[in-house]
Amino acid sequence: AQKVTQAQTEISVVEKEDVTLDCVYETRDTTYYLFWYKQPPSGELVFLIRRNSFDEQNEISGRYSWNFQKSTSSFNFTITASQVVDSAVYFCALSVDYGGSQGNLIFGKGTKLSVKP
Amino acid sequence: DAGVTQSPTHLIKTRGQQVTLRCSPKSGHDTVSWYQQALGQGPQFIFQYYEEEERQRGNFPDRFSGHQFPNYSSELNVNALLLGDSALYLCASSLAEQGIIQETQYFGPGTRLLVL
């Protein structure tokens, strides 16, 4: 069975601090995809990043960076110099291969990030 | 480029009633998935439609049913509503090239359903 664990329920930081959101996943599949989505109070899930299981390269996009480590089944997300607009619930998700296709998303419970001015 | 749209935005129903939620996929997408998000939880997969057929289904009872139209839009129907059906219902769309989904799913703003 597949599972995603986000152990941090809530994190509160002060603006300009760096913050890392943890994500641990479980799957026996060799082909899978990992995602991060942001959910602001409006409710819409905003796609941030997708990585496949064959690409362990870390990625940086502006103030965001992602650290994918298959050895520890983790896909952590770091926000550098956080801003108030980063306040949201962040979800890590896993999708496994489904007949050669990308299967449904399995979400963690989310981490609520509050960035205070 | 039109994103995923959902209607209505909010809905209030009473136990035992039936409800229909609607979703239009992002322009160029042909696959629609539905998720239920209870308060304080991550979204849970309900089912996915491709070529007007249910392709995958999560662990939801038969009270939850769906449909996909030739224009790729979709409906989610829930019969005999229970209090526990109160949630945010999210629709996501993606593109399946020759039946293979390799693209990211993009989500709509959701429909908030309250069952009294």
Short mmCIF file of all heavy atoms in Angstrom, two decimals, chain A residues 10-63:
data_model
loop_
_atom_site.label_atom_id
_atom_site.label_comp_id
_atom_site.label_asym_id
_atom_site.label_seq_id
_atom_site.Cartn_x
_atom_site.Cartn_y
_atom_site.Cartn_z
N GLU A 10 1.52 21.77 12.08
CA GLU A 10 1.55 23.23 11.94
C GLU A 10 2.96 23.75 12.22
O GLU A 10 3.65 23.23 13.09
CB GLU A 10 0.59 23.90 12.93
CG GLU A 10 -0.87 23.65 12.64
CD GLU A 10 -1.79 24.56 13.44
OE1 GLU A 10 -1.47 25.76 13.58
OE2 GLU A 10 -2.82 24.08 13.92
N ILE A 11 3.36 24.75 11.45
CA ILE A 11 4.64 25.43 11.65
C ILE A 11 4.39 26.92 11.62
O ILE A 11 3.67 27.42 10.74
CB ILE A 11 5.66 25.06 10.56
CG1 ILE A 11 5.94 23.56 10.53
CG2 ILE A 11 6.96 25.84 10.78
CD1 ILE A 11 6.88 23.16 9.41
N SER A 12 5.00 27.63 12.57
CA SER A 12 4.88 29.08 12.58
C SER A 12 6.28 29.69 12.56
O SER A 12 7.14 29.30 13.35
CB SER A 12 4.13 29.54 13.83
OG SER A 12 3.98 30.94 13.83
N VAL A 13 6.52 30.59 11.63
CA VAL A 13 7.82 31.26 11.53
C VAL A 13 7.59 32.76 11.38
O VAL A 13 6.49 33.22 11.12
CB VAL A 13 8.64 30.73 10.33
CG1 VAL A 13 8.91 29.25 10.47
CG2 VAL A 13 7.95 31.04 9.01
N VAL A 14 8.69 33.48 11.57
CA VAL A 14 8.66 34.92 11.36
C VAL A 14 9.21 35.20 9.95
O VAL A 14 10.12 34.50 9.49
CB VAL A 14 9.49 35.66 12.42
CG1 VAL A 14 9.53 37.16 12.14
CG2 VAL A 14 8.92 35.38 13.81
N GLU A 15 8.65 36.20 9.32
CA GLU A 15 9.07 36.55 7.97
C GLU A 15 10.59 36.60 7.85
O GLU A 15 11.28 37.04 8.77
CB GLU A 15 8.48 37.91 7.60
CG GLU A 15 8.24 38.12 6.14
CD GLU A 15 7.42 39.36 5.84
OE1 GLU A 15 7.34 40.25 6.72
OE2 GLU A 15 6.87 39.43 4.73
N LYS A 16 11.08 36.11 6.73
CA LYS A 16 12.50 36.05 6.36
C LYS A 16 13.22 34.84 6.93
O LYS A 16 14.38 34.61 6.56
CB LYS A 16 13.25 37.34 6.72
CG LYS A 16 12.73 38.57 6.00
CD LYS A 16 13.56 39.80 6.30
CE LYS A 16 12.95 41.01 5.62
NZ LYS A 16 13.70 42.26 5.94
N GLU A 17 12.54 34.08 7.77
CA GLU A 17 13.15 32.84 8.25
C GLU A 17 13.06 31.78 7.15
O GLU A 17 12.14 31.80 6.31
CB GLU A 17 12.43 32.32 9.49
CG GLU A 17 12.76 33.03 10.78
CD GLU A 17 12.11 32.34 11.97
OE1 GLU A 17 11.71 31.17 11.84
OE2 GLU A 17 12.01 32.97 13.02
N ASP A 18 13.99 30.83 7.17
CA ASP A 18 13.89 29.67 6.27
C ASP A 18 13.06 28.59 6.98
O ASP A 18 13.11 28.47 8.22
CB ASP A 18 15.28 29.11 5.97
CG ASP A 18 16.16 30.11 5.25
OD1 ASP A 18 15.64 31.14 4.76
OD2 ASP A 18 17.38 29.86 5.17
N VAL A 19 12.32 27.82 6.20
CA VAL A 19 11.50 26.78 6.80
C VAL A 19 11.50 25.55 5.89
O VAL A 19 11.47 25.68 4.67
CB VAL A 19 10.06 27.28 7.05
CG1 VAL A 19 9.39 27.74 5.75
CG2 VAL A 19 9.21 26.22 7.75
N THR A 20 11.58 24.37 6.50
CA THR A 20 11.55 23.11 5.73
C THR A 20 10.35 22.29 6.13
O THR A 20 10.11 22.05 7.32
CB THR A 20 12.84 22.30 5.98
OG1 THR A 20 13.95 23.03 5.45
CG2 THR A 20 12.76 20.95 5.27
N LEU A 21 9.60 21.86 5.14
CA LEU A 21 8.43 21.00 5.34
C LEU A 21 8.82 19.58 4.97
O LEU A 21 9.33 19.33 3.88
CB LEU A 21 7.26 21.48 4.45
CG LEU A 21 6.92 22.97 4.54
CD1 LEU A 21 5.73 23.30 3.67
CD2 LEU A 21 6.68 23.40 5.97
N ASP A 22 8.56 18.66 5.88
CA ASP A 22 9.00 17.28 5.69
C ASP A 22 7.92 16.42 5.03
O ASP A 22 6.73 16.61 5.28
CB ASP A 22 9.37 16.65 7.03
CG ASP A 22 10.54 17.36 7.69
OD1 ASP A 22 11.38 17.93 6.96
OD2 ASP A 22 10.62 17.32 8.94
N CYS A 23 8.37 15.46 4.23
CA CYS A 23 7.45 14.52 3.59
C CYS A 23 8.15 13.18 3.48
O CYS A 23 9.26 13.08 2.92
CB CYS A 23 7.05 15.02 2.20
SG CYS A 23 6.08 13.83 1.23
N VAL A 24 7.51 12.15 4.00
CA VAL A 24 8.02 10.78 3.89
C VAL A 24 6.97 9.95 3.19
O VAL A 24 5.79 10.03 3.51
CB VAL A 24 8.32 10.20 5.28
CG1 VAL A 24 8.70 8.73 5.17
CG2 VAL A 24 9.44 10.99 5.96
N TYR A 25 7.38 9.15 2.23
CA TYR A 25 6.42 8.37 1.46
C TYR A 25 6.74 6.89 1.56
O TYR A 25 7.87 6.50 1.88
CB TYR A 25 6.41 8.83 0.00
CG TYR A 25 7.72 8.62 -0.71
CD1 TYR A 25 7.98 7.46 -1.43
CD2 TYR A 25 8.72 9.60 -0.66
CE1 TYR A 25 9.19 7.26 -2.07
CE2 TYR A 25 9.93 9.41 -1.30
CZ TYR A 25 10.17 8.25 -2.00
OH TYR A 25 11.37 8.06 -2.61
N GLU A 26 5.72 6.07 1.29
CA GLU A 26 5.88 4.62 1.28
C GLU A 26 5.24 4.06 0.01
O GLU A 26 4.09 4.35 -0.29
CB GLU A 26 5.18 3.99 2.49
CG GLU A 26 5.75 4.36 3.83
CD GLU A 26 4.94 3.77 4.97
OE1 GLU A 26 4.35 2.68 4.77
OE2 GLU A 26 4.87 4.39 6.04
N THR A 27 6.02 3.26 -0.71
CA THR A 27 5.51 2.54 -1.86
C THR A 27 6.48 1.44 -2.22
O THR A 27 7.69 1.59 -2.01
CB THR A 27 5.30 3.47 -3.08
OG1 THR A 27 4.80 2.69 -4.18
CG2 THR A 27 6.58 4.17 -3.51
N ARG A 28 5.97 0.37 -2.78
CA ARG A 28 6.82 -0.71 -3.26
C ARG A 28 7.04 -0.61 -4.77
O ARG A 28 7.83 -1.37 -5.33
CB ARG A 28 6.21 -2.07 -2.92
CG ARG A 28 6.17 -2.38 -1.44
CD ARG A 28 5.61 -3.75 -1.16
NE ARG A 28 5.60 -4.04 0.28
CZ ARG A 28 5.12 -5.17 0.81
NH1 ARG A 28 4.62 -6.10 0.02
NH2 ARG A 28 5.15 -5.35 2.11
N ASP A 29 6.35 0.31 -5.39
CA ASP A 29 6.51 0.51 -6.82
C ASP A 29 7.86 1.14 -7.11
O ASP A 29 8.36 1.95 -6.31
CB ASP A 29 5.40 1.40 -7.37
CG ASP A 29 4.07 0.70 -7.40
OD1 ASP A 29 3.54 0.39 -6.32
OD2 ASP A 29 3.55 0.45 -8.51
N THR A 30 8.42 0.81 -8.27
CA THR A 30 9.69 1.42 -8.66
C THR A 30 9.47 2.67 -9.50
O THR A 30 10.34 3.50 -9.61
CB THR A 30 10.55 0.42 -9.45
OG1 THR A 30 9.78 -0.06 -10.57
CG2 THR A 30 10.96 -0.76 -8.58
N THR A 31 8.28 2.76 -10.09
CA THR A 31 7.93 3.96 -10.86
C THR A 31 6.85 4.72 -10.11
O THR A 31 5.76 4.19 -9.89
CB THR A 31 7.43 3.59 -12.26
OG1 THR A 31 8.43 2.85 -12.96
CG2 THR A 31 7.08 4.85 -13.05
N TYR A 32 7.16 5.92 -9.73
CA TYR A 32 6.18 6.73 -9.00
C TYR A 32 6.53 8.20 -9.19
O TYR A 32 7.58 8.55 -9.73
CB TYR A 32 6.13 6.38 -7.51
CG TYR A 32 7.47 6.41 -6.78
CD1 TYR A 32 7.94 7.58 -6.19
CD2 TYR A 32 8.24 5.25 -6.69
CE1 TYR A 32 9.16 7.60 -5.52
CE2 TYR A 32 9.46 5.27 -6.03
CZ TYR A 32 9.92 6.44 -5.45
OH TYR A 32 11.13 6.46 -4.79
N TYR A 33 5.58 9.05 -8.78
CA TYR A 33 5.75 10.49 -8.91
C TYR A 33 5.47 11.14 -7.57
O TYR A 33 4.59 10.69 -6.83
CB TYR A 33 4.77 11.05 -9.96
CG TYR A 33 4.87 10.38 -11.31
CD1 TYR A 33 4.16 9.19 -11.57
CD2 TYR A 33 5.65 10.91 -12.33
CE1 TYR A 33 4.25 8.58 -12.80
CE2 TYR A 33 5.73 10.30 -13.56
CZ TYR A 33 5.04 9.13 -13.79
OH TYR A 33 5.13 8.52 -15.02
N LEU A 34 6.17 12.18 -7.29
CA LEU A 34 5.98 12.93 -6.05
C LEU A 34 5.63 14.37 -6.39
O LEU A 34 6.16 14.94 -7.35
CB LEU A 34 7.24 12.89 -5.19
CG LEU A 34 7.61 11.49 -4.66
CD1 LEU A 34 9.03 11.49 -4.15
CD2 LEU A 34 6.63 11.07 -3.58
N PHE A 35 4.75 14.94 -5.58
CA PHE A 35 4.26 16.29 -5.84
C PHE A 35 4.22 17.10 -4.55
O PHE A 35 4.12 16.56 -3.45
CB PHE A 35 2.81 16.24 -6.36
CG PHE A 35 2.61 15.42 -7.59
CD1 PHE A 35 2.52 14.04 -7.52
CD2 PHE A 35 2.47 16.03 -8.83
CE1 PHE A 35 2.32 13.27 -8.66
CE2 PHE A 35 2.26 15.27 -9.98
CZ PHE A 35 2.19 13.89 -9.88
N TRP A 36 4.26 18.40 -4.73
CA TRP A 36 3.89 19.34 -3.67
C TRP A 36 2.84 20.28 -4.24
O TRP A 36 2.97 20.79 -5.37
CB TRP A 36 5.09 20.16 -3.19
CG TRP A 36 5.93 19.46 -2.16
CD1 TRP A 36 7.06 18.71 -2.37
CD2 TRP A 36 5.70 19.43 -0.75
NE1 TRP A 36 7.54 18.21 -1.18
CE2 TRP A 36 6.73 18.64 -0.18
CE3 TRP A 36 4.73 19.99 0.10
CZ2 TRP A 36 6.83 18.40 1.20
CZ3 TRP A 36 4.82 19.76 1.45
CH2 TRP A 36 5.85 18.98 1.99
N TYR A 37 1.78 20.48 -3.41
CA TYR A 37 0.74 21.43 -3.74
C TYR A 37 0.59 22.41 -2.58
O TYR A 37 0.80 22.05 -1.41
CB TYR A 37 -0.61 20.72 -3.94
CG TYR A 37 -0.76 19.99 -5.25
CD1 TYR A 37 -0.34 18.67 -5.37
CD2 TYR A 37 -1.36 20.60 -6.35
CE1 TYR A 37 -0.50 17.98 -6.57
CE2 TYR A 37 -1.53 19.92 -7.55
CZ TYR A 37 -1.10 18.61 -7.65
OH TYR A 37 -1.26 17.93 -8.84
N LYS A 38 0.19 23.63 -2.92
CA LYS A 38 -0.09 24.67 -1.92
C LYS A 38 -1.59 24.93 -1.92
O LYS A 38 -2.20 25.06 -2.98
CB LYS A 38 0.67 25.96 -2.30
CG LYS A 38 0.37 27.16 -1.44
CD LYS A 38 1.13 28.38 -1.95
CE LYS A 38 0.85 29.62 -1.12
NZ LYS A 38 1.60 30.81 -1.62
N GLN A 39 -2.18 25.02 -0.72
CA GLN A 39 -3.61 25.31 -0.63
C GLN A 39 -3.80 26.56 0.23
O GLN A 39 -3.77 26.50 1.46
CB GLN A 39 -4.39 24.13 -0.04
CG GLN A 39 -5.90 24.33 -0.11
CD GLN A 39 -6.66 23.09 0.35
OE1 GLN A 39 -6.33 22.47 1.35
NE2 GLN A 39 -7.70 22.72 -0.41
N PRO A 40 -4.03 27.71 -0.39
CA PRO A 40 -4.32 28.93 0.37
C PRO A 40 -5.74 28.84 0.93
O PRO A 40 -6.48 27.91 0.61
CB PRO A 40 -4.20 30.03 -0.70
CG PRO A 40 -4.44 29.34 -2.00
CD PRO A 40 -3.97 27.92 -1.83
N PRO A 41 -6.11 29.81 1.77
CA PRO A 41 -7.46 29.77 2.38
C PRO A 41 -8.60 29.68 1.37
O PRO A 41 -9.67 29.17 1.70
CB PRO A 41 -7.50 31.09 3.16
CG PRO A 41 -6.07 31.35 3.50
CD PRO A 41 -5.28 30.88 2.31
N SER A 42 -8.40 30.12 0.15
CA SER A 42 -9.46 30.04 -0.86
C SER A 42 -9.83 28.60 -1.19
O SER A 42 -10.93 28.33 -1.68
CB SER A 42 -9.02 30.76 -2.13
OG SER A 42 -7.87 30.13 -2.67
N GLY A 43 -8.91 27.66 -0.95
CA GLY A 43 -9.24 26.25 -1.14
C GLY A 43 -8.63 25.59 -2.36
O GLY A 43 -8.49 24.37 -2.39
N GLU A 44 -8.29 26.35 -3.37
CA GLU A 44 -7.77 25.74 -4.60
C GLU A 44 -6.37 25.20 -4.38
O GLU A 44 -5.52 25.86 -3.81
CB GLU A 44 -7.76 26.79 -5.71
CG GLU A 44 -7.27 26.27 -7.05
CD GLU A 44 -7.50 27.28 -8.16
OE1 GLU A 44 -8.20 28.28 -7.94
OE2 GLU A 44 -6.96 27.07 -9.26
N LEU A 45 -6.11 24.00 -4.83
CA LEU A 45 -4.78 23.41 -4.73
C LEU A 45 -3.92 23.92 -5.88
O LEU A 45 -4.27 23.76 -7.05
CB LEU A 45 -4.86 21.90 -4.80
CG LEU A 45 -5.31 21.18 -3.53
CD1 LEU A 45 -5.62 19.73 -3.81
CD2 LEU A 45 -4.22 21.28 -2.47
N VAL A 46 -2.80 24.52 -5.54
CA VAL A 46 -1.90 25.09 -6.53
C VAL A 46 -0.68 24.18 -6.69
O VAL A 46 0.02 23.90 -5.72
CB VAL A 46 -1.45 26.51 -6.12
CG1 VAL A 46 -0.47 27.06 -7.15
CG2 VAL A 46 -2.66 27.42 -5.96
N PHE A 47 -0.46 23.71 -7.89
CA PHE A 47 0.67 22.82 -8.16
C PHE A 47 1.98 23.57 -8.01
O PHE A 47 2.16 24.69 -8.50
CB PHE A 47 0.54 22.28 -9.59
CG PHE A 47 1.77 21.62 -10.12
CD1 PHE A 47 2.14 20.38 -9.67
CD2 PHE A 47 2.57 22.26 -11.08
CE1 PHE A 47 3.28 19.76 -10.17
CE2 PHE A 47 3.70 21.65 -11.57
CZ PHE A 47 4.07 20.40 -11.12
N LEU A 48 2.96 22.93 -7.33
CA LEU A 48 4.27 23.53 -7.15
C LEU A 48 5.35 22.76 -7.90
O LEU A 48 6.18 23.36 -8.60
CB LEU A 48 4.64 23.58 -5.66
CG LEU A 48 3.76 24.47 -4.78
CD1 LEU A 48 4.22 24.36 -3.33
CD2 LEU A 48 3.78 25.92 -5.26
N ILE A 49 5.38 21.43 -7.74
CA ILE A 49 6.44 20.66 -8.37
C ILE A 49 6.03 19.19 -8.51
O ILE A 49 5.22 18.70 -7.73
CB ILE A 49 7.76 20.73 -7.55
CG1 ILE A 49 8.91 20.11 -8.37
CG2 ILE A 49 7.58 20.06 -6.20
CD1 ILE A 49 10.27 20.31 -7.73
N ARG A 50 6.59 18.54 -9.52
CA ARG A 50 6.46 17.10 -9.71
C ARG A 50 7.83 16.51 -9.99
O ARG A 50 8.62 17.08 -10.75
CB ARG A 50 5.55 16.80 -10.89
CG ARG A 50 5.35 15.31 -11.13
CD ARG A 50 4.52 15.05 -12.35
NE ARG A 50 5.33 15.08 -13.56
CZ ARG A 50 5.00 14.43 -14.69
NH1 ARG A 50 3.88 13.74 -14.74
NH2 ARG A 50 5.78 14.51 -15.74
N ARG A 51 8.15 15.40 -9.33
CA ARG A 51 9.38 14.67 -9.61
C ARG A 51 9.02 13.22 -9.86
O ARG A 51 8.14 12.66 -9.21
CB ARG A 51 10.35 14.70 -8.43
CG ARG A 51 10.70 16.06 -7.91
CD ARG A 51 11.38 16.88 -8.96
NE ARG A 51 12.76 16.44 -9.21
CZ ARG A 51 13.54 17.01 -10.12
NH1 ARG A 51 13.07 17.99 -10.87
NH2 ARG A 51 14.77 16.59 -10.29
N ASN A 52 9.73 12.55 -10.77
CA ASN A 52 9.52 11.12 -10.93
C ASN A 52 10.62 10.37 -10.20
O ASN A 52 11.67 10.92 -9.86
CB ASN A 52 9.41 10.73 -12.40
CG ASN A 52 10.72 10.84 -13.15
OD1 ASN A 52 11.75 10.32 -12.68
ND2 ASN A 52 10.71 11.50 -14.29
N SER A 53 10.37 9.08 -10.00
CA SER A 53 11.24 8.27 -9.15
C SER A 53 12.63 8.05 -9.74
O SER A 53 13.54 7.61 -9.03
CB SER A 53 10.59 6.92 -8.87
OG SER A 53 10.20 6.29 -10.08
N PHE A 54 12.80 8.34 -11.01
CA PHE A 54 14.10 8.13 -11.65
C PHE A 54 14.96 9.39 -11.66
O PHE A 54 16.08 9.37 -12.16
CB PHE A 54 13.90 7.61 -13.07
CG PHE A 54 13.13 6.32 -13.10
CD1 PHE A 54 11.84 6.29 -13.59
CD2 PHE A 54 13.67 5.15 -12.61
CE1 PHE A 54 11.10 5.12 -13.62
CE2 PHE A 54 12.95 3.97 -12.63
CZ PHE A 54 11.67 3.96 -13.13
N ASP A 55 14.43 10.45 -11.12
CA ASP A 55 15.14 11.72 -11.16
C ASP A 55 15.32 12.25 -9.75
O ASP A 55 14.43 12.88 -9.21
CB ASP A 55 14.37 12.73 -12.01
CG ASP A 55 15.13 14.04 -12.17
OD1 ASP A 55 16.25 14.15 -11.63
OD2 ASP A 55 14.58 14.95 -12.81
N GLU A 56 16.48 11.99 -9.17
CA GLU A 56 16.74 12.41 -7.80
C GLU A 56 17.41 13.77 -7.71
O GLU A 56 17.80 14.19 -6.64
CB GLU A 56 17.61 11.38 -7.10
CG GLU A 56 16.85 10.16 -6.61
CD GLU A 56 17.67 9.31 -5.66
OE1 GLU A 56 17.79 9.69 -4.47
OE2 GLU A 56 18.19 8.27 -6.10
N GLN A 57 17.50 14.44 -8.81
CA GLN A 57 18.12 15.77 -8.77
C GLN A 57 17.29 16.72 -7.93
O GLN A 57 16.07 16.77 -8.05
CB GLN A 57 18.20 16.34 -10.19
CG GLN A 57 19.46 15.99 -10.93
CD GLN A 57 19.65 16.86 -12.16
OE1 GLN A 57 18.69 17.35 -12.73
NE2 GLN A 57 20.89 17.03 -12.56
N ASN A 58 17.95 17.45 -7.07
CA ASN A 58 17.24 18.46 -6.31
C ASN A 58 16.91 19.64 -7.23
O ASN A 58 17.55 19.83 -8.27
CB ASN A 58 18.10 18.93 -5.14
CG ASN A 58 18.25 17.83 -4.11
OD1 ASN A 58 17.35 17.03 -3.90
ND2 ASN A 58 19.41 17.79 -3.47
N GLU A 59 15.90 20.38 -6.86
CA GLU A 59 15.46 21.47 -7.73
C GLU A 59 15.27 22.74 -6.92
O GLU A 59 14.85 22.71 -5.77
CB GLU A 59 14.15 21.10 -8.41
CG GLU A 59 13.67 22.16 -9.39
CD GLU A 59 12.70 21.62 -10.41
OE1 GLU A 59 12.72 20.41 -10.69
OE2 GLU A 59 11.91 22.42 -10.94
N ILE A 60 15.62 23.84 -7.56
CA ILE A 60 15.44 25.15 -6.95
C ILE A 60 14.63 26.01 -7.91
O ILE A 60 14.89 26.05 -9.11
CB ILE A 60 16.79 25.83 -6.67
CG1 ILE A 60 17.61 25.00 -5.68
CG2 ILE A 60 16.59 27.25 -6.14
CD1 ILE A 60 19.01 25.53 -5.46
N SER A 61 13.62 26.68 -7.35
CA SER A 61 12.82 27.61 -8.14
C SER A 61 12.61 28.87 -7.30
O SER A 61 11.76 28.90 -6.42
CB SER A 61 11.48 26.97 -8.52
OG SER A 61 10.68 27.90 -9.22
N GLY A 62 13.41 29.85 -7.53
CA GLY A 62 13.32 31.08 -6.74
C GLY A 62 13.63 30.81 -5.28
O GLY A 62 14.71 30.30 -4.96
N ARG A 63 12.67 31.09 -4.40
CA ARG A 63 12.88 30.88 -2.97
C ARG A 63 12.55 29.44 -2.55
O ARG A 63 12.72 29.07 -1.39
CB ARG A 63 12.00 31.85 -2.17
CG ARG A 63 12.35 33.30 -2.38
CD ARG A 63 11.50 34.23 -1.49
NE ARG A 63 10.08 34.15 -1.81
CZ ARG A 63 9.19 33.54 -1.02
NH1 ARG A 63 9.57 32.96 0.10
NH2 ARG A 63 7.92 33.52 -1.38
#
